Amino acid sequence: MVAGVSMSRAASSAGGTASRLSLRRELLIGLAVFAVYAVVDSVPVAGRSAAAEAHSRALDAFETGLGVGFVRPLNAWLTEQPVLCTLANYEYATTYVVSAFLMLVWLYRRRPDRYPVARNSFALINLVAVACFALYPVTPPRLLPGLGFVDTVRLGQTWGSWGTPVIDSANQLAAMPSLHVAWALWVSVELARISAGRVVQAIGVAHVAVTVLVTLATANHYLLDSAGAAVLVLGCVHVAERFAAAPRDRRVGPSDAFFLAVESPRSPQHVGGLIILAAPEGALTRERLVAVVGDRLDALPRFRQRLAPRGRWRRPVWAEHPVLDWEWHVAARDLPAPGGAAALDRLVAGLQAEPLPRDRPLWRLVLVRGYDPERTAVVFLMHHVVADGLGVVAHALRLMEPELPPAGDEGATGPGAVRRAAGTAAGLLQLAAERRQGTRLPSNASGERSFGAFGLPLGAVRDVARGHGARVTDVLLCAVAGGLSRVSAACGADTGAAARADAAPGRLRVSVPLMMRTPATPPEGNHTAAVMIDVPVGPMAEVDRLAAIARRSGRLRGGTRVAAAWFVMRRAPLILPPPLHAAFARAVYGGRTFQAIVSNLPGLDLEVRLAGAPMLAVHPILPTAPGAPLAVGALSWSGRLNFGVSVEPALLDDAAKLCGAMHEVIGELGRDVGGRGDRRARGDHGRRA
């Protein structure tokens, strides 16, 4: 009855989704449902037959009392019609199975977009029915002695029918609800859901009516069994559709929803960049910036989408938001005279403290006027649910000129499944064995921030790293730990006088995000795994601090902790319902686990323009975590390493102090390896570009 369904949109729907459906997985799901049925049916329960007979007699009395006792007269009539009796027995035994099977096969082949929801509802119908059979067994009327019902199945010896020797092992105490009616009704509902033709839908309705009539006339079910089947089907279809997975490109995955869960008014979670352009004051207008973004919207899907909540127990999805509030998304801000870097930093800090409203797409561009007569600044912000640090860079590049071609798959396969599993298991053991985070740094009760930025030639920092047998990330971690030690009393520094030489260094636990992207990874979404590393803080020689960090930073490259962190971030939450996943995120992200975030973002060595203006530098803007009041990002671009420092005033009132101290640390390390690194680093102190 299903084979004749024709849908004009079926072929177009089947394309990409069909390739993602696994026949082996679908067969395993079917076998699993049947296994549940078999196991539940095989469990011996004392007095089950007696209870089933008592329930059946109660249903018979209830229907008789309501005046709907149709089973006896229909059953008596059918027994006098030998041909119809045989046909009814065969209809009861076969059509519900054939129709449901054909429906599933047709949906799998022609409507893979609908198939997962239909399969889930069908499986749920059977699982709930099995639970009903176990908790409330009911004997079919035809098997009740002394009530005048005729067993047409055994009377006619219909081959293969329910209860005959061919399938005599079938559950005989499973009358409520009627799965025969449930399967037939499910087929009819699915035909309506896919908007099948009227003739086909009419056949489906007729099949349901015939099945109900046959179940009564053969005395296999009461009318209430059919009513129970209707409630079962409608309820399970509703649940399956209510909790249906959104299209893959619209889902908010666990690693993205993580940052929605940890966000609060005191910890806004948007990332971005402070872009410095070689454009004189007034050369770039807000209207020109709006035009640039408008021209590129087709390549920026998240710029046109907002979060659509789906209730507490389901993650939100991305929904189209075609009408953009351009006055808000692309704004202009004037700095107070005389402008300059300090005023720009205060503006960025203020924007960091403003949560992005979730009733619109989660991005914003702010053109800054009055910064520098020869320079123009643009602040680009996106919520962390949209993208990670490199994803934000990729989105920004889509606004630039020349347009870069989309990344392709370069064929990198990585380690095999066995090695990945072994590495993940080893990393989980390493994470479990780590000692707890020590003291906490003072954190704000509000979203207030302080921001600072500076830049250095990338070659100078590389010279420092090579000279000490370390890596650029090690130098960055040393600069943060050493700089914080010099300017913050919370890290054992004496900010008013010379530091005590005998002070024992403490430790700062830092979260270092590591990129898990491949050339084929889209810019949307979070693809990072954070690894924790303890760095020494307090008074000590910077060369010793760097050596200690270099010894410990092997965990950033070892792979096992990265694999474990990626598993925890990306895979483990799939088994958690959203409320538990949100609680997990809030428990592990922030001051209970680490004290600061330090990210070294790989950039590109190319010249790009925004609205015709050459880009001189982009400084990362990273959010602090709840209870972890410091976030430092470094981004290499066209031969420069550009820093962005975000700090909560409870720890440090002015991020510029930390910027200066970090620069001093790198300079001191440069002096220890020779004058070349020192001269190159010292020559750029305080410059944005």
Side-chain angles (χ1 to χ4, degrees), residues 69 92 96 146 187 293 351 401 424 444 478 526 547 580 582 585 621 633 660:
Y92 182 79
Y96 81 106
V187 171
V293 178
L351 293 172
E401 305 163 350
T424 300
N444 281 12
C478 183
N526 286 268
L580 290 182
I621 301 174

Side-chain angles (χ1 to χ4, degrees), residues 60-334:
D60 178 61
F62 184 74
E63 287 194 353
T64 302
L66 290 178
V68 292
F70 303 136
V71 178
R72 280 186 190 83
L74 285 173
N75 181 239
W77 172 80
L78 184 64
T79 57
E80 298 176 357
Q81 314 292 328
V83 175
L84 287 179
C85 185
T86 300
L87 291 175
N89 288 337
Y90 277 120
E91 194 282 339
Y92 182 79
T94 60
T95 61
Y96 81 106
V97 175
V98 173
S99 63
F101 177 75
L102 290 177
M103 187 80 248
L104 285 169
V105 171
W106 189 88
L107 289 171
Y108 180 87
R109 295 293 301 273
R110 302 295 299 276
R111 286 297 302 272
D113 58 316
R114 175 68 191 177
Y115 174 80
V117 179
R119 176 248 291 144
N120 291 344
S121 65
F122 188 69
L124 189 60
I125 287 169
N126 287 277
L127 292 174
V128 174
V130 169
C132 293
F133 300 156
L135 298 174
Y136 192 81
V138 175
T139 301
R142 64 184 176 83
L143 299 180
L144 284 177
L147 292 183
F149 296 110
V150 178
D151 188 348
T152 63
V153 173
R154 296 194 182 276
L155 179 66
Q157 291 295 309
T158 310
W159 184 89
S161 187
W162 198 257
T164 59
V166 177
I167 52 173
D168 196 45
S169 59
N171 186 357
Q172 296 291 295
L173 310 178
M176 169 62 84
S178 169
L179 272 184
H180 292 68
V181 174
W183 286 22
L185 180 59
W186 173 81
V187 171
S188 183
V189 169
E190 285 304 316
L191 290 174
R193 283 290 189 268
I194 62 174
S195 300
R198 292 182 179 180
V199 173
V200 176
Q201 290 194 54
I203 294 174
V205 172
H207 178 231
V208 175
V210 170
T211 301
V212 172
L213 182 63
V214 166
T215 61
L216 297 177
T218 58
N220 277 286
H221 292 281
Y222 295 105
L223 184 62
L224 288 174
D225 298 338
S226 296
V231 173
L232 173 66
V233 171
L234 297 179
C236 290
V237 169
H238 173 76
V239 169
E241 292 185 342
R242 180 77 173 78
F243 291 92
R248 186 177 298 272
D249 62 340
R250 296 296 178 94
R251 302 177 196 171
V252 174
S255 57
D256 302 332
F258 188 97
F259 293 100
L260 292 176
V262 301
E263 184 174 52
S264 68
R266 63 177 290 188
S267 296
Q269 292 298 303
H270 40 272
V271 295
L274 170 58
I275 302 170
I276 307 299
L277 303 171
E281 176 70 28
L284 177 60
T285 64
R286 176 188 167 276
E287 291 71 23
R288 174 61 177 144
L289 206 51
V290 168
V292 169
V293 178
D295 289 342
R296 308 293 173 87
L297 277 181
D298 288 343
L300 298 162
R302 293 293 183 259
F303 275 44
R304 311 184 309 272
Q305 297 168 351
R306 60 173 176 80
L307 290 173
R310 297 193 297 165
R312 184 168 182 262
W313 291 92
R314 293 196 299 172
R315 296 186 181 92
V317 296
W318 294 106
E320 290 299 320
H321 189 82
V323 181
L324 295 179
D325 182 359
W326 288 104
E327 293 291 334
W328 186 87
H329 283 293
V330 182
R333 295 284 185 89
D334 294 305

